[in-house]
Amino acid sequence: MSSLELYDTRSRSVNSFVPLKKGEVSIYLCGATVQAPPHIGHIRSGVNFDILRRWLTKSGYNVTFIRNVTDIDDKILQKSVTEKMPWWALAQKYERTFSQAYESLNVLPPTYEPRATGHITQMIDLMATLIQRGAAYAPGNGDVYLEVRKLTSYLTLSRQKLDDLLPADDAEEKFKKDPRDFALWKGAKAGEPSWPTPWGPGRPGWHLECSAMAHAYLGESFDIHGGGLDLIFPHHENEIAQSESAGYGFARSWMHNAWVTTSGEKMSKSLGNSLQVTELLKHVRGIELRWYLGSAHYRSMLEFSPAALEESATSFRRIESFLHRATEIIGHIPTPKYSKAFADAMNNDLAVPQGLALIAESLRLGNSAITAEDKKTIENSANEIRGALEVLGCDPFDPSFGLSQSGDLTAALDGTIQLALAQRAAARDRKDFAASDAIRDGLSALGITIEDTPQGPRWSVSHTEER
RNA sequence: GGUCGGGUGGCCGAGAGGCGAGGCAAGGGACUGCAAAUCCCUCUACACGGGUUCAAAUCCCGUCCCGACCUCCA
C-alpha cells in the first residue's frame, strides 16, 4: 500500500507525511467563533478534517485532535448587544448549534475541545514569555502587541511582504510601534468583559487563544494545523508569529480547506438562513449532507446549489439501497474492508473524488451480482463499499446516524407490511392489478417503497423529500 | 497595488503532457402486468489566441472573465 502524502500550504507542495512521534498524530483545527449558527461552509471544514482524522486512524495512527471554540471576540460582544443577551450566553447558545450540526453530520467529537475563555492563564503566560523575549510590548494602554518587524519568518505562510500589506486603521495606532503590529491582548473598555493581567485588565485579541491552546494540549510542536483558506492571513500568520517568537516549533504542516461557494462566490453570513445546516437538514438527512460536503476534494471550491445537493443525495441513496439489499442476501451486515485502490486514493492527499469513482465501480459490480445471484461478489462489493463509506464517515450502519432501529418496532412494522404484501401478491395472482397497485400506492403514501425483485417484493422507508 | 485560486460536457466534479475518472440529468434497449430498482448502450468537454512538443485540457507567452485574502471570516 502506498503511504500518505498531504499538501502543505506553507511549502505549497505535496509531501510524504511523517509524524513527529511514530504512530501518533497531533492535529489542531481552528474551530468556530461562536457568534452565529453554522452554515454549510463552516461544517465543510469540520467534515473535511474529520475525514482526515478518520483516515489517519484507519491507517493505524493514534490521533489527538484539538478543535477549539473561540467564545470571546469583537463580533460576539457586538452581537450580545444586538441580541440583548450576555456575551457568554450568546456564545454558549451558538456553540450548541455548532455541536448539534457536527453531531448531525457524524463529525467525531475532538479529543479535546478547549474554549478560549478557559485558557486566559495560558494566554497571559504566553504574553509574558513574548514580552520577556522582546517580541511583544505593552505600551501602557492595556493592549499588548506583537512586534512583527522583528520577525524574519513573518508572512511565510501567505508569502506576502510586510510592506505590501495595507496598514490597519486602528484607533490605537498611536500606541503601536508599527501599524502592522497586531494586538495579542486588548485593554478593557467600559461595558466589556475583562480579565486581570500584569499589563492591566483586558481581553484576548483574536489570535492568541489558538497559540495558547495548541501549546497547552499539543506541546511546542505538533503535526498538522488546519482551518479554512481565509484563515491563512492574518490568523495563521499571527499564530505562527506568536508561537515561533515564544520559541516553539509549532505546526509542522498546514492544511486548508476551500469554501462552499454559491454562484462562484464565497458564502457569507449576509446570505440569510437558507444555507444554515439546520435549514438544509429539513431537505436531506445528515448522512446525505455529509456525503455532499465531503464529495469534492478538500482543496477545491464546492459550488452549492439545491439541485446539486439533491442529486448528490440521490446518488448516495443508490449506494445505501445496495448495502441494505446486500445485507438481506448475505444474511448479515457487510464487514467494512476498503480496497487497496481506495487506500491509494486517500493516501494521495485525500483524493476523495477518486474514491467515489471506485465506490461507483463496486456498486455496479455489486448490483450486477445481485441479478446474477453471485453471493461472493455481492459480499465483496458490499464490504468494499461499506469500508470506504466508513472512512468517509458515511456508513449507513453507523448508529451515530440514529439508524439503529428498535428491534421490536421494526419487526412489528415488517409483519404489518408483510400482511399487506401478501394481499397484494394474492391480487396479482388473480390479475387484479387495480387492487395490487392500490396496496402499493397506499404504502407509498405512507413513505414505504415497494419493489418487486426476483427474490420477491421488498420494502424500504423512502428518504425522498416527498416523504 | 501585493498575494493566491479558478474557467472542463445540460449540471456537479476528477485529472495535470500520450489510453475520454466518476456521478446526476437526458435518449435508446433489456427485465416487469404496470411501476420501481437494476444492468447494457449512446450523447454533449477542457475560456480565447499564439507557442513548445512526435503528442497539450495538462507546459510556456499573451488576452478575456470569475473569485479569495490584505487585521471580522470555515
Side-chain angles (χ1 to χ4, degrees):
Chain A
M1 185 163 67
S2 59
S3 61
L4 180 60
E5 300 198 325
L6 293 172
Y7 182 85
D8 169 40
T9 308
R10 203 169 197 179
S11 67
R12 305 277 157 84
S13 60
V14 176
N15 306 300
S16 280
F17 176 71
V18 182
L20 212 52
K21 260 196 258 175
K22 194 167 186 293
E24 312 247 333
V25 182
S26 44
I27 301 176
Y28 186 94
L29 173 64
C30 282
T33 297
V34 284
Q35 47 105 356
H39 58 60
I40 52 175
H42 296 117
I43 295 301
R44 181 190 184 189
S45 179
V47 169
N48 285 159
F49 283 95
D50 190 54
I51 291 172
L52 169 69
R53 177 187 185 179
R54 285 170 190 263
W55 182 239
L56 287 166
T57 304
K58 283 283 171 197
S59 303
Y61 292 107
N62 184 20
V63 181
T64 303
F65 190 97
I66 308 298
R67 186 187 63 216
N68 69 289
V69 174
T70 296
D71 59 348
I72 177 79
D73 94 317
D74 294 354
K75 273 256 162 120
I76 291 171
L77 296 178
Q78 285 166 23
K79 294 261 310 227
S80 84
V81 174
T82 57
E83 294 201 18
K84 296 187 175 63
M85 58 167 73
W87 64 272
W88 39 266
L90 181 108
Q92 184 74 182
K93 170 179 151 186
Y94 289 121
E95 183 181 329
R96 287 204 178 104
T97 64
F98 270 85
S99 298
Q100 282 161 4
Y102 287 130
E103 193 181 337
S104 301
L105 298 215
N106 198 21
V107 173
L108 295 169
T111 315
Y112 307 111
E113 188 169 20
R115 296 192 186 99
T117 53
H119 298 77
I120 302 293
T121 311
Q122 287 86 343
M123 294 186 212
I124 293 171
D125 286 350
L126 179 56
M127 285 192 285
T129 303
L130 289 169
I131 289 172
Q132 180 229 318
R133 291 173 69 104
Y137 57 96
N141 65 337
D143 291 353
V144 181
Y145 299 112
L146 197 82
E147 192 169 358
V148 295
R149 282 277 169 200
K150 285 193 175 169
L151 308 173
T152 51
S153 65
Y154 193 52
L155 305 181
T156 51
L157 185 65
S158 60
R159 303 201 170 178
Q160 299 178 92
K161 292 195 180 87
L162 193 58
D163 292 319
D164 290 340
L165 295 183
L166 305 174
D169 50 342
D170 292 272
E172 265 68 47
E173 204 172 305
K174 59 183 182 218
F175 291 99
K176 290 184 178 180
K177 293 187 184 174
D178 184 289
R180 292 165 189 86
D181 289 349
F182 65 89
L184 299 170
W185 192 260
K186 299 184 176 185
K189 294 196 186 104
E192 290 186 351
S194 68
W195 289 260
T197 77
W199 314 283
R203 61 184 174 88
W206 175 31
H207 317 291
L208 189 64
E209 82 279 16
C210 285
S211 284
M213 293 188 283
H215 181 243
Y217 296 96
L218 299 176
E220 297 192 356
S221 297
F222 54 94
D223 294 306
I224 297 169
H225 192 128
L229 265 184
D230 43 1
L231 296 180
I232 292 175
F233 185 87
H235 187 54
H236 288 164
E237 289 288 10
N238 290 350
E239 283 186 52
I240 292 171
Q242 293 157 359
S243 297
E244 294 190 353
S245 296
Y248 306 152
F250 208 50
R252 303 178 77 219
S253 62
W254 290 83
M255 294 176 70
H256 292 93
N257 65 278
W259 299 295
V260 180
T261 56
T262 46
S263 307
E265 288 182 44
K266 176 186 176 185
M267 276 186 185
S268 70
K269 298 191 169 97
S270 62
L271 286 170
N273 299 335
S274 62
L275 299 168
Q276 285 179 9
V277 174
T278 47
E279 195 57 34
L280 291 169
L281 287 177
K282 292 175 184 168
H283 302 288
V284 295
R285 294 173 295 152
I287 196 171
E288 293 165 348
L289 184 55
R290 180 182 172 111
W291 174 258
Y292 170 69
L293 291 175
S295 64
H297 186 90
Y298 74 92
R299 286 192 281 125
S300 296
M301 303 292 172
L302 177 60
E303 175 64 23
F304 175 83
S305 70
L309 174 60
E310 187 49 49
E311 283 167 11
S312 173
T314 301
S315 154
F316 181 75
R317 284 179 207 132
R318 285 188 69 221
I319 298 167
E320 195 178 23
S321 160
F322 165 72
L323 286 180
H324 287 308
R325 261 180 282 189
T327 300
E328 288 164 18
I329 294 166
I330 65 180
H332 60 87
I333 291 174
T335 312
K337 279 179 193 160
Y338 53 79
S339 66
K340 181 187 175 300
F342 184 81
D344 288 343
M346 292 305 289
N347 279 335
N348 178 21
D349 193 32
L350 308 180
V352 173
Q354 286 175 23
L356 300 192
L358 294 166
I359 291 173
E361 171 73 7
S362 295
L363 178 66
R364 198 175 52 75
L365 287 175
N367 274 324
S368 295
I370 287 180
T371 308
E373 301 190 31
D374 173 0
K375 267 199 179 185
K376 191 162 165 52
T377 304
I378 295 169
E379 183 157 12
N380 280 344
S381 302
N383 289 350
E384 285 191 2
I385 290 172
R386 188 175 178 217
L389 293 187
E390 200 181 53
V391 171
L392 300 176
C394 290
D395 175 13
F397 300 106
D398 187 334
S400 305
F401 285 111
L403 300 178
S404 64
Q405 298 127 339
S406 66
D408 293 350
L409 205 56
T410 304
L413 182 59
D414 183 59
T416 309
I417 292 171
Q418 292 304 338
L419 279 176
L421 288 179
Q423 293 296 311
R424 176 168 173 265
R428 291 179 75 198
D429 284 346
R430 59 176 190 269
K431 308 262 186 238
D432 183 357
F433 296 121
S436 71
D437 288 353
I439 291 170
R440 185 172 63 197
D441 294 346
L443 288 170
S444 175
L446 297 170
I448 305 292
T449 303
I450 301 303
E451 292 163 20
D452 292 318
T453 75
Q455 292 79 33
R458 67 184 296 276
W459 66 272
S460 57
V461 178
S462 46
H463 294 297
T464 57
E465 267 194 73
E466 289 74 36
R467 80 193 127 174

